[in-house]
Amino acid sequence: MPRKQLVPPCAVWLLVVLVLSSSAPVPASSSSSTTTLRVRRRYDSIFSLGDSYADTGNGPVVFGWHAIANPVMRPPYGSTFFGRPTGRNCDGRLVIDFLAESLGLPLVPPFLQARQGARSFGRGANFAVGGATALDASFFHRWDPPGGSVFPLNISLGVQLQSFQSLKPSLCATPKDCNKLFGRSIFFVGAFGANDYLLAMAAMSLEQVRSLVPGVVGTISMAVERLIVEHGPTTVVVPGVIPVGSTPPVLATFADPDPAGYDPRTGCLKAINEVAVLEIYVFSLLV
């Protein structure tokens, strides 16, 4: 079956929810200049939680702790921009890199690499890890084979949120300082969900995987609520899940012998992409 018009994994980042938890909305009578000023609001830092679509170098550290070989530390990863592997699951920059550059900020440093040397996170920190799930790893242990694990790493959204909490005291000493810092920061929570569904597909039917969507969305929404209530950021962006059935690894791993299983326009796996669409739909019900 020919594969046409596949969406490049490094380029996909659908922003479906923008939460402004405490910023006052622009009144309908405001002038266009005021509106423009708000749109062009400057941010001083970026904090990111997510999976491989946002990971700027945490993955190799985590995998290294468990003596698991990580291909992203070998060419051609990093070859088209950095000239060397950086731990990104990409041959160049990620969307979060382009965002940082557009705001005039440094590329968001990976938090876990701080253990390998002194690093300041005053301009932001990245907690994303390639392969991360929204659900805790314990959820997937029910399918562990004897003597092994389907997913030995616990790098879930909850774990990443704990990492942020551990860093926070070094960023700001008082609630006033924290409000000032986080009020001029963008927080990204995601994208999450793709790895949850792909891990589950190893042991569940697609219909059962679809039933996981509300739980995944609920986990993400509770993390966002906790982030806002406990830490007070004013701008939180929740990217939507990628079109999972359009990525080369999924097309190869879950190849469908029935040609009808593929979208004739794109060559993507329809049933798997429908799970991603369902997640976005469930998110829309919360807005």
Side-chain angles (χ1 to χ4, degrees):
M1 181 71 183
R3 309 286 189 252
K4 302 182 296 181
Q5 303 176 12
L6 298 184
V7 182
C10 295
V12 180
W13 196 316
L14 176 62
L15 305 182
V16 295
V17 182
L18 176 60
V19 182
L20 300 177
S21 64
S22 60
S23 297
V26 179
S29 60
S30 296
S31 67
S32 59
S33 60
T34 301
T35 303
T36 301
L37 181 61
R38 285 188 179 274
V39 170
R40 294 178 179 175
R41 172 184 177 180
R42 175 175 172 78
Y43 294 97
D44 295 330
S45 54
I46 300 172
F47 294 92
S48 171
L49 303 90
D51 61 9
S52 59
Y53 288 85
D55 184 0
T56 55
N58 290 313
V61 178
V62 173
F63 283 81
W65 290 341
H66 294 80
I68 299 175
N70 193 327
V72 303
M73 294 309 294
R74 301 193 299 268
Y77 290 92
S79 60
T80 66
F81 182 78
F82 298 98
R84 59 180 176 81
T86 62
R88 290 167 172 78
N89 287 251
C90 186
D91 65 342
R93 288 164 290 182
L94 301 171
V95 170
I96 195 168
D97 296 317
F98 289 103
L99 174 68
E101 291 177 345
S102 70
L103 294 174
L105 296 174
L107 300 185
V108 189
F111 171 70
L112 295 179
Q113 285 193 15
R115 299 191 180 191
Q116 301 177 342
R119 184 185 292 274
S120 171
F121 294 104
R123 305 299 297 276
N126 197 338
F127 306 94
V129 182
T133 55
L135 302 175
D136 193 79
S138 60
F139 175 83
F140 302 98
H141 289 335
R142 67 184 70 183
W143 301 304
D144 285 351
S149 174
V150 296
F151 197 59
L153 309 178
N154 194 2
I155 50 179
S156 66
L157 171 55
V159 171
Q160 293 180 33
L161 191 55
Q162 290 173 6
S163 294
F164 166 71
Q165 291 174 309
S166 72
L167 176 65
K168 182 180 175 181
S170 69
L171 298 174
C172 48
T174 67
K176 182 179 180 180
D177 290 340
C178 291
N179 289 338
K180 182 178 179 180
L181 172 63
F182 299 146
R184 295 184 65 83
S185 302
I186 298 180
F187 281 73
F188 280 86
V189 183
F192 281 103
N195 294 310
D196 297 80
Y197 308 136
L198 294 178
L199 283 171
M201 283 178 61
M204 302 172 68
S205 68
L206 265 174
E207 190 59 36
Q208 291 173 313
V209 172
R210 287 172 61 89
S211 70
L212 298 180
V213 172
V216 169
V217 172
T219 298
I220 299 170
S221 62
M222 285 189 292
V224 171
E225 181 178 0
R226 179 180 171 188
L227 187 66
I228 294 173
V229 172
E230 296 183 8
H231 306 290
T234 57
T235 305
V236 179
V237 180
V238 184
V241 67
I242 66 167
V244 191
S246 300
T247 60
V250 173
L251 287 164
T253 303
F254 299 98
D256 193 333
D258 184 358
Y262 295 88
D263 186 319
R265 298 174 297 108
T266 64
C268 298
L269 287 161
K270 293 190 295 185
I272 297 179
N273 271 352
E274 286 171 0
V275 177
V277 172
L278 178 60
E279 178 179 307
I280 295 174
Y281 171 72
V282 175
F283 260 121
S284 72
L285 299 179
L286 301 177
V287 179

